[in-house]
Amino acid sequence: MGKKLKKVIYYHSLSDTVENDNIETPVIDKNYKYMTKNPFVNTWAWIYYRLIIFPFGWFWCKGIKHIKYVGLQNIRKCRTGYFVYGNHTNHLSDAFSPSVITPTRKPYLIANPNNVNVPFFGSSTKFLGVLPLPTGLEAHKNFLHTIEYRLKQKHGIIIYPEANIWSNYTGIRPYDAQSFKYPIKFNVPVFCQTTTYQTTKKGGCQIVVYIDGPYYPDKTLDAKTAQQRLHDMIYHTMQQRAQNSNFETYDYQQIKEETE
């Protein structure tokens, strides 16, 4: 039999959305409750996460996908709240890997509001730790208050700055420094997790996730410069790690615009 051809995925630019989920984007306004003081809801959230989500996530990442993690000690030694930036290349693994990386503390994930409307899981994403990006000033205040509260509890906040998922993509897509304002504002360390796809001895694919850091905001710089500095360090590290990828599941091809 001949070699199986890879599925071709076409794109115009590296910021394209190549997977159309047709999910309506909800408005996350001041009425959206990022947190609640209701003890019954919080107890249920804890039970749901610890007895259902966490075991399933661990089984998926370690038992089904056999993901290898390199550098776990870097993040597990952290004794404060922190941010983790990662490349966005897998639906379930990107959602559950943070739980495997820090099993003793529930991670929180800053995500597109679309996640609130995901089929089957949408209503429970809050219990998963999803923090949808807010719409409007009042909602933004609640959003920042929640991040600050979780950081004080020494939780990790996960961000995928590439925004859109490109399944099994082996490069690092460009992203701006906007999301790096958070570690500058709250003065906490930053880590990065780089998901790579590597060929096994039998010709299959091994997912290897590298954890690097901590990186710290440079308090001698103004906020904007410090923000860009953190971005550059994380982006460079992820690019270096991505060079370990040598297994391509899909053939990503750019559509070149014709010029007159």
Side-chain angles (χ1 to χ4, degrees):
M1 294 181 64
K3 186 177 180 180
K4 184 179 179 180
L5 296 176
K6 291 181 288 187
K7 176 183 177 181
V8 177
I9 298 177
Y10 296 99
Y11 66 94
H12 288 90
S13 74
L14 292 172
S15 61
D16 282 357
T17 300
V18 296
E19 298 185 21
N20 186 9
D21 51 26
N22 293 316
I23 297 175
E24 182 180 354
T25 301
V27 175
I28 306 299
D29 58 18
K30 63 181 181 180
N31 297 315
Y32 183 85
K33 295 184 181 298
Y34 285 98
M35 297 187 297
T36 178
K37 294 182 180 179
N38 188 314
F40 298 104
V41 174
N42 286 329
T43 299
W44 165 243
W46 186 90
I47 292 173
Y48 183 78
Y49 178 77
R50 278 297 165 194
L51 300 187
I52 299 176
I53 297 303
F54 176 75
F56 175 79
W58 187 277
F59 176 70
W60 175 264
C61 293
K62 301 295 289 185
I64 300 297
K65 305 302 287 186
H66 304 291
I67 299 175
K68 178 181 178 181
Y69 295 90
V70 178
L72 285 177
Q73 70 280 2
N74 294 328
I75 201 166
R76 290 181 177 177
K77 290 188 295 185
C78 187
R79 296 295 180 261
T80 67
Y82 54 87
F83 285 91
V84 181
Y85 292 81
N87 54 326
H88 210 4
T89 63
N90 198 294
H91 287 274
L92 286 179
S93 298
D94 285 355
F96 293 120
S97 262
S99 298
V100 178
I101 292 170
T102 56
T104 60
R105 286 191 178 276
K106 178 180 178 179
Y108 288 85
L109 172 62
I110 294 177
N112 189 296
N114 286 3
N115 287 273
V116 177
N117 283 346
V118 171
F120 304 109
F121 292 102
S123 60
S124 62
T125 52
K126 187 181 296 185
F127 297 143
L128 291 170
V130 171
L131 303 175
L133 288 167
T135 305
L137 182 59
E138 288 300 317
H140 191 67
K141 289 180 180 178
N142 297 335
F143 175 71
L144 291 178
H145 173 71
T146 301
I147 291 177
E148 183 177 25
Y149 182 78
R150 296 308 183 192
L151 289 172
K152 287 181 178 178
Q153 289 184 313
K154 301 180 181 180
H155 291 283
I157 308 291
I158 317 302
I159 299 177
Y160 293 107
E162 293 174 329
N164 304 314
I165 291 179
W166 282 28
S167 293
N168 293 54
Y169 185 67
T170 57
I172 304 298
R173 288 168 282 148
Y175 52 83
D176 61 34
Q178 179 67 15
S179 64
F180 288 85
K181 64 185 179 184
Y182 301 122
I184 301 299
K185 178 178 178 60
F186 298 112
N187 193 32
V188 294
V190 172
F191 296 85
C192 64
Q193 63 173 50
T194 310
T195 301
T196 65
Y197 299 87
Q198 302 182 25
T199 303
T200 65
K201 292 181 179 179
K202 295 183 178 181
C205 179
Q206 167 76 66
I207 299 177
V208 181
V209 177
Y210 296 92
I211 309 297
D212 290 288
Y215 304 92
Y216 295 92
D218 190 337
K219 292 185 286 186
T220 66
L221 303 174
D222 64 88
K224 281 291 184 182
T225 306
Q227 184 175 322
Q228 188 64 49
R229 176 74 62 84
L230 267 182
H231 164 276
D232 294 348
M233 287 192 294
I234 293 297
Y235 187 69
H236 175 74
T237 300
M238 293 175 70
Q239 282 187 312
Q240 291 294 109
R241 289 299 195 184
Q243 292 180 17
N244 291 312
S245 288
N246 55 15
F247 186 100
E248 291 187 341
T249 305
Y250 304 110
D251 182 10
Y252 284 89
Q253 293 186 15
Q254 185 175 19
I255 300 174
K256 301 294 185 179
E257 299 292 343
E258 293 185 5
T259 57
E260 295 183 358

